[in-house]
Amino acid sequence: MSRSNTSKSKMRLRFPNIILLLCGLILLIFLFDFLWRNIISPTVPGDTEGIVTADGTFSASDSEETSPEDASADSEDNENPQDMTEASEEPTEDPFSQVITLSQSQIHNGPLILVSGTCPFLGTTNFVDFSSNTNSNVKPRDTALKINPEMAQPISDLFDGYCHDNGYVNLQIYSTSEIYTGSDSLYTNELTERVTGYSFDIGLITSTGKVVAYLTKRNEWMFNNCWNYGFIVRYPDTKTGTTGVGFMPHHFRYVGLPHSLIMKEKDMCLEEYLQFLTSYTQNSPLKYDTDDRSYSIFYVPAESSGDTNITIPKDAVYTVSGNNTDGFIITLDNAKSGSPDNTGSEPSSENPADASVPESTSEPVIDSGNTTG
């Protein structure tokens, strides 16, 4: 009896200990799990949910906090590297410049083209005549005479200036794109540059209305003032070795402003001037100022084939002329501050014109067959 009671007493004592031991073990398991998840290893291997990964490295400025929107945009960029490459290769349009495209044919057109026996004219012609001329100061021998339309207004301004300074016009436009070959012709100069329509000959109208030639004598007003209107004496007596043509005091050529003024100041014929301009580039242009305008002039060699592209300031006022050999002359024209934006003002002259002379004192008509050129 006593042994049985002792056994039951021992069993009652062991059972609670087992329960306590199990509870302690369970607590240890939960504690270990808590420590593992939150302290020892905060992420479970294989569980990538909520983890953000990215390739590449960060610069010092990249350590700043990035918003979710920025992170999303960065993620999209990384997923499409090809799109990034294509976007970076697109040219950025310069809002302050423009591109002008010049064709090979334009090399042979413009008021500065050099046409001679060794440099034939390869350009195009689209002439006008004097039939619609309403300026009484412009006196063509025949209204059918043809000129390049680019010269129409300048030649009118030229003879207006002549009349303004002298009170009358005693000059006749005798020949332009072609030489008159009649039996009474004053000149027989078969010049290759006539075909351009940029040149003309003058004759002197005497007091009786007869027209006589300028062969040795020259019109002083024209020689001193034609430059102010864009014209030059094409074949002066001091440049025969360069031009290959003898003195022609009656023959004038349109080259445009400010080129005529520069040629006058530097005592250059057209051949010399075009060679002179080849040393001026777009990055280092020739600068020339008048009272109301500022010019930048430079030479651009033509591409060996195809078009030639030139970048100039946006909205720039410019003119382009070929040289008829290998390139272009670009002239940028800017009005000075406070000056009217035009070039049509009449410059003052320096010398009076030839008076309307009687036949007895006018230069006699010389046999045109003896003229040079």
Side-chain angles (χ1 to χ4, degrees):
M1 182 68 179
S2 60
R3 181 178 297 176
S4 175
N5 290 337
T6 302
S7 177
K8 289 179 180 180
S9 175
K10 288 181 179 180
M11 289 178 64
R12 284 196 297 270
L13 290 174
R14 291 173 182 167
F15 184 77
N17 291 338
I18 293 173
I19 296 299
L20 290 174
L21 182 62
L22 290 175
C23 291
L25 183 60
I26 291 171
L27 288 174
L28 288 173
I29 291 172
F30 277 106
L31 178 62
F32 180 82
D33 180 75
F34 175 81
L35 293 174
W36 177 266
R37 288 178 179 274
N38 295 280
I39 299 176
I40 301 175
S41 177
T43 60
V44 178
D47 181 12
T48 59
E49 184 178 7
I51 301 176
V52 178
T53 61
D55 296 330
T57 58
F58 294 98
S59 63
S61 61
D62 290 332
S63 61
E64 297 178 0
E65 182 177 347
T66 303
S67 65
E69 292 82 5
D70 293 338
S72 176
D74 291 341
S75 177
E76 292 178 2
D77 290 343
N78 289 331
E79 291 174 1
N80 299 281
Q82 184 177 359
D83 293 343
M84 291 181 60
T85 303
E86 292 176 355
S88 64
E89 291 177 353
E90 290 183 3
T92 302
E93 183 178 352
D94 185 353
F96 303 106
S97 65
Q98 60 178 320
V99 176
I100 56 176
T101 300
L102 304 175
S103 65
Q104 287 285 316
S105 63
Q106 288 177 269
I107 297 173
H108 309 293
N109 291 284
L112 288 171
I113 56 174
L114 174 64
V115 178
S116 65
T118 58
C119 189
F121 177 64
L122 301 175
T124 57
T125 57
N126 182 25
F127 295 155
V128 297
D129 60 31
F130 290 97
S131 61
S132 60
N133 172 58
T134 58
N135 188 346
S136 60
N137 292 323
V138 179
K139 304 178 185 299
R141 176 183 54 80
D142 190 320
T143 57
L145 292 179
K146 292 178 170 52
I147 61 172
N148 191 297
E150 196 170 346
M151 189 177 75
Q153 187 59 51
I155 202 170
S156 182
D157 294 339
L158 173 67
F159 285 100
D160 283 348
Y162 188 98
C163 183
H164 177 271
D165 289 347
N166 299 283
Y168 55 85
V169 175
N170 61 342
L171 299 178
Q172 182 186 81
I173 298 175
Y174 193 79
S175 299
T176 55
S177 62
E178 295 179 355
I179 191 68
Y180 171 55
T181 57
S183 60
D184 59 343
S185 177
L186 301 184
Y187 312 113
T188 59
N189 314 106
E190 295 290 349
L191 299 170
T192 53
E193 79 159 11
R194 289 190 190 279
V195 71
T196 67
Y198 285 118
S199 64
F200 68 94
D201 299 332
I202 59 170
L204 176 64
I205 305 173
T206 67
S207 59
T208 64
K210 184 177 181 178
V211 180
V212 297
Y214 281 104
L215 295 176
T216 56
K217 180 182 177 181
R218 70 186 199 179
N219 184 289
E220 292 298 330
W221 189 96
M222 289 287 285
F223 264 65
N224 288 288
N225 293 281
C226 70
W227 322 88
N228 298 324
Y229 299 86
F231 294 88
I232 63 171
V233 179
R234 179 64 181 94
Y235 302 109
D237 56 350
T238 58
K239 301 293 182 180
T240 57
T242 303
T243 64
V245 179
F247 182 38
M248 296 178 64
H250 56 278
H251 187 76
F252 296 84
R253 164 69 187 269
Y254 180 71
V255 295
L257 293 170
H259 307 289
S260 57
L261 296 173
I262 300 172
M263 293 171 69
K264 171 66 172 177
E265 290 183 15
K266 293 187 172 295
D267 188 28
M268 290 180 173
C269 62
L270 184 56
E271 287 83 354
E272 293 171 323
Y273 183 61
L274 291 176
Q275 180 60 39
F276 166 72
L277 289 181
T278 58
S279 62
Y280 292 94
T281 65
Q282 186 170 7
N283 292 331
S284 181
L286 172 64
K287 299 285 189 178
Y288 187 82
D289 291 341
T290 62
D291 290 341
D292 61 345
R293 314 200 73 78
S294 178
Y295 298 93
S296 296
I297 307 165
F298 56 92
Y299 163 77
V300 176
E303 295 292 338
S304 57
S305 62
D307 295 336
T308 301
N309 293 322
I310 305 168
T311 301
I312 63 173
K314 191 174 183 64
D315 300 325
V317 177
Y318 67 94
T319 58
V320 179
S321 175
N323 61 9
N324 200 37
T325 54
D326 59 6
F328 311 93
I329 307 301
I330 314 298
T331 305
L332 303 181
D333 177 0
N334 301 294
K336 291 183 177 178
S337 178
S339 299
D341 189 16
N342 65 77
T343 56
S345 59
E346 293 183 356
S348 60
S349 63
E350 301 174 1
N351 297 285
D354 295 337
S356 180
V357 294
E359 279 193 80
S360 59
T361 59
S362 65
E363 182 177 352
V365 178
I366 302 175
D367 183 2
S368 60
N370 294 330
T371 60
T372 57

